Amino acid sequence: MSLRDKVEGNELDLSLNVLTEIPVNELAAAPKATHLDISCNQIRSIPNDFATLTHLVKIDLSKNKLSELPANFGNLVNLQHLDLYGNQITTLPVSFYKLKNLRWLDLKNNPLEPKLKNVAGDCLNEKECKECAKKVVAYMQTIESELEREREKKLKIAREKEAIERAKIERELEEQRRLKKLEKERRKAEIRAKREAQELQHNAAGSHHQRSSDPQDNKETGSQQFQAHETNGINCTKVFTYSFFVVCLIFLGCFIWAIHTEYISVDDLKSVRNQVVMKIQRYISEMVNLMLFYWPKMKENFLKIVHRYMTDVTYYASQIEQILALYF
């Protein structure tokens, strides 16, 4: 026989059935049963999902073995009549304050804690049970308010502690930023001082180079005159070279013609050969002397140019290295 078959009007009587647990699922399937009598059984605990039976208006749980109610029992917001007579309940859940519609409550024959027992009263008649319901709900509301204040106090303390920790962290970060800024400024100052020292050294080196080049300036006029003389010498050399080649060609042509016509004998050839060798040796000697004459001047100018550009390259390389060290 199902629970629906036991429903009479809006009442469901499950008393004296030696029940050890409440059939919540079957009760949920019978929403018309707003009055539930489950007294005189062996029930020791109430499941949490019992609080989902919000259609219940009257509950009789008297003469069971209950030691406590579920923490969410206050979700039965439509409950008006609750009988807990003859159980082993010592305290009520804080959510009990939500039962604003509760009009009747019986807590007799329960080992209630002193404060709750004093609030509940004796419940000897219907009037006292109604007063019990009103006073207990108000008492649980007071407990809820105290717990709320305690939670707010703890939350405030936690927030203050968090604010202190956050301020401490912010101070540490600010100190780190300040030290980092000071370190960066110190490095910039060191690099700036180093750059100024290098500029002073470079300027001093330039002044020394200018002073050392003054004697060379005095020689510029003589060098220009010497260069003009050299230019004339080079032009004469070109004319001489071209003339020499023309003479050689003419001589070669005459020599071939003389051999062809047998005008020149072998002894004559030997004499001519000796003369040619002497001419070549003299020409080579003149060329070597000319190169030896120009080589010291060319070497001096080359070394001077190399020294000047290497000094500039070293200076600009040091400047680039300082800039990279400053920003990277």
Side-chain angles (χ1 to χ4, degrees), residues 42-46 61 63-70 84 86-93 107 109-113 116:
Q42 303 295 319
I43 300 173
R44 295 181 178 274
S45 63
I46 299 176
L61 287 166
K63 296 183 180 180
N64 279 283
K65 297 182 179 181
L66 296 173
S67 60
E68 62 179 1
L69 298 180
L84 295 172
N87 283 279
Q88 300 174 8
I89 297 174
T90 58
T91 185
L92 297 175
L107 290 172
N109 291 346
N110 282 283
L112 299 174
E113 62 179 11
L116 181 58

Side-chain angles (χ1 to χ4, degrees), residues 45-105:
S45 63
I46 299 176
N48 290 327
D49 53 355
F50 182 78
T52 61
L53 304 175
T54 56
H55 63 280
L56 294 177
V57 175
K58 180 179 179 180
I59 302 175
D60 188 353
L61 287 166
S62 62
K63 296 183 180 180
N64 279 283
K65 297 182 179 181
L66 296 173
S67 60
E68 62 179 1
L69 298 180
N72 60 351
F73 193 82
N75 292 339
L76 300 172
V77 292
N78 294 317
L79 189 61
Q80 299 179 10
H81 184 107
L82 178 60
D83 192 348
L84 295 172
Y85 170 81
N87 283 279
Q88 300 174 8
I89 297 174
T90 58
T91 185
L92 297 175
V94 179
S95 63
F96 209 85
Y97 79 94
K98 296 180 181 179
L99 301 178
K100 305 296 183 180
N101 294 319
L102 190 63
R103 299 292 180 266
W104 196 95
L105 177 62

Side-chain angles (χ1 to χ4, degrees), residues 12 15 29 53 62 88 110 112 141 156 168 178 180-181 228 233 240 269 271 295 309 313 317 324-325:
L12 175 60
S15 62
L53 304 175
S62 62
Q88 300 174 8
N110 282 283
L112 299 174
Q141 178 67 58
K156 183 178 179 181
K168 182 179 178 181
R178 187 182 67 84
K180 188 176 180 180
K181 184 178 180 180
F240 172 77
L269 288 175
S271 176
W295 172 249
Y309 283 101
V313 168
L324 293 176

Side-chain angles (χ1 to χ4, degrees), residues 60-244:
D60 188 353
L61 287 166
S62 62
K63 296 183 180 180
N64 279 283
K65 297 182 179 181
L66 296 173
S67 60
E68 62 179 1
L69 298 180
N72 60 351
F73 193 82
N75 292 339
L76 300 172
V77 292
N78 294 317
L79 189 61
Q80 299 179 10
H81 184 107
L82 178 60
D83 192 348
L84 295 172
Y85 170 81
N87 283 279
Q88 300 174 8
I89 297 174
T90 58
T91 185
L92 297 175
V94 179
S95 63
F96 209 85
Y97 79 94
K98 296 180 181 179
L99 301 178
K100 305 296 183 180
N101 294 319
L102 190 63
R103 299 292 180 266
W104 196 95
L105 177 62
D106 189 356
L107 290 172
K108 291 191 304 293
N109 291 346
N110 282 283
L112 299 174
E113 62 179 11
K115 288 185 179 181
L116 181 58
K117 184 176 181 179
N118 186 39
V119 172
D122 296 330
C123 295
L124 297 177
N125 52 52
E126 184 175 357
K127 181 179 179 180
E128 290 182 354
C129 289
K130 288 182 179 180
E131 289 292 328
C132 176
K134 186 184 299 184
K135 290 180 180 180
V136 168
V137 171
Y139 173 70
M140 300 309 297
Q141 178 67 58
T142 303
I143 294 177
E144 168 62 21
S145 299
E146 292 178 355
L147 292 175
E148 182 64 25
R149 285 194 294 270
E150 188 67 22
R151 285 193 293 268
E152 290 179 356
K153 184 178 179 180
K154 290 181 178 179
L155 181 61
K156 183 178 179 181
I157 293 173
R159 287 177 177 174
E160 290 177 353
K161 186 177 180 180
E162 182 181 357
I164 293 173
E165 291 293 331
R166 189 164 53 247
K168 182 179 178 181
I169 294 173
E170 185 64 26
R171 286 194 300 270
E172 292 177 354
L173 292 176
E174 184 65 24
E175 182 66 16
Q176 291 178 2
R177 286 193 291 267
R178 187 182 67 84
L179 293 176
K180 188 176 180 180
K181 184 178 180 180
L182 290 175
E183 179 65 19
K184 189 174 181 180
E185 290 178 354
R186 185 185 64 80
R187 291 179 57 192
K188 284 184 177 180
E190 290 180 355
I191 294 174
R192 193 180 301 111
K194 187 176 179 181
R195 186 188 302 171
E196 290 176 355
Q198 289 183 353
E199 289 179 354
L200 291 174
Q201 184 179 1
H202 181 71
N203 293 333
S207 300
H208 177 71
H209 179 71
Q210 184 177 3
R211 287 194 301 269
S212 62
S213 62
D214 288 340
Q216 300 294 333
D217 294 336
N218 296 328
K219 298 178 182 179
E220 288 295 332
T221 305
S223 298
Q224 292 177 359
Q225 294 176 357
F226 182 74
Q227 288 177 359
H229 178 70
E230 288 177 350
T231 303
N232 294 329
I234 291 172
N235 293 330
C236 293
T237 304
K238 289 182 179 180
V239 173
F240 172 77
T241 304
Y242 294 151
S243 301
F244 176 76

Side-chain angles (χ1 to χ4, degrees), residues 4-18:
R4 290 183 180 182
D5 297 332
K6 293 183 178 182
V7 176
E8 295 181 3
N10 61 351
E11 296 183 358
L12 175 60
D13 188 359
L14 296 177
S15 62
L16 300 172
N17 281 301
V18 196

